[in-house]
Amino acid sequence: MSKLNTEKSKKAFAEAQSFIPGGVNSPVRAFGAVGGTPIFIKSGSGCHLTDVDGNTYVDYVGSWGPLILGHAEPRIVKRIHEAVANGTSYGAPTELEIKLAQLMKEAMPSLEKVRMVNSGTEATMSAIRLARGFTKRDAVIKFEGCYHGHVDSLLIQAGSGATTLGTPTSPGIPQDFVKHTISLPYNNIDAVNEVCSKRGKDIACIIVEAVAGNMGVVLPKKGYLEGLREITKRHGIVLILDEVMTGFRVAHGGVQSLYNITPDLTTLGKIIGGGLPVGAYGGKKEIMDTISPVGPVYQAGTLSGNPVAMTAGIATLEILRDGNIYKTLEEKSKRLAAGMEKACKDAGIPAYHTRLGSMLCTFFTDQPVTDYATAKRCDTKRYAKFFHGMLERGFYFAPSQFEAVFVSMAHGEKEIDATVNAFREVIKGF
Ligand SMILES: *Cc1c(COP(=O)(O)O)cnc(C)c1O
């Protein structure tokens, strides 16, 4: 297999670095975890990305989740064009915002009221402020390996044991900003029980990626989510399900529909923006009505509810109403996951495979991955080899072991089978 010609990407990356820190506007794009230089993209169409050198790849990143219908889906592109012609922002309410909120509530009945923002980070940050304002409590529980955007108080490394305070994972975050955050291992309900039985009255909310997708894909153990719901109810703690990644991805109604959990608040983003920058948080009426202008908890946004972004979201969610889509995605994703799993077995490569709907992950490890500690045991050097081997063959996976593979409606059997064949070739070289 010949090496790719990526001269123009290399040149662009060198130039980008003199204007943009690290040459990228979000760190994982820099290929730091896998080495090499990032591919600069020129265009996307269906399941394909084309780079500035003219190489085309089958894309399994899907802009990190939003593109469940593929790149430049014609129906969505058309609606966006129409919307742009009517002006791109008004800073005043529109009927589009009602429409998108209705479509979201139809899929997730727990969203009694919804507030639109511009990113997932903004959604989780605002939901936490709201939970604190509503409960008049300060402490927050989050779980190791769960990512909720770059919110100050959530960028925390767990201390050793439940009694030690966590420390910020980034400079620029005062220790004081994380002193109310308790970081616990994912999938361990006893740890939550222990903290809540001691400090339940101090805890405003528990925020959790109901199915974790930011340490690779890690599924909740049986009873874990139900346990969180029960404990939070018992202690008057707001349960925030972060479905920024999983909402409209793993099922039309997200993880909460699959596991039959009714959270107090849900955070959303990615798919609900149809590829444009959108986030949202919503849930119980009495909690949501604590936000201004109804209640005292302040939250605002110049471009929130942007008409073009709302239109892209509406167009996407209208298409996703068709239940057959999730059946089809399930078949496609199963075909890919089963193919990769069998390839590993045949080649004697130890790997742990996880999947929920069109979100999946191959961990290069010989042990089950159930939390951050077990995820970290993966052979990330092997992942880097996998990544570059696939890239050279025209398949674009996430440049990090700790991310999900996303399958879209635009991926055909032909591309999926070609992916599995390339994967077989790549792991032969391990
Ligand atoms: C992507 C993501 C976020 C952050 O969203 P941004 O739009 O990148 O700010 C938050 N939570 C989860 C679960 C995510 O996957």
Side-chain angles (χ1 to χ4, degrees), residues 2 32 40 42 58 80 97 99 126 135 141 154-155 171 192-193 205-206 250 270 283 293 301 330 333 371 411 414:
S2 63
F40 276 61
K42 183 134 201 185
V58 177
I80 292 174
E97 293 152 275
K99 182 74 196 165
S126 309
T135 56
I141 293 179
L154 299 182
L155 293 181
V192 180
N193 240 327
C205 62
I206 293 183
V250 298
K270 299 192 171 123
E330 174 68 20
S333 312
D371 58 12
H411 289 85
K414 189 175 120 231

Side-chain angles (χ1 to χ4, degrees), residues 143-159:
F143 301 99
E144 287 162 34
C146 285
Y147 176 71
H148 307 287
H150 62 99
V151 178
D152 275 340
S153 64
L154 299 182
L155 293 181
I156 177 175
Q157 197 158 39

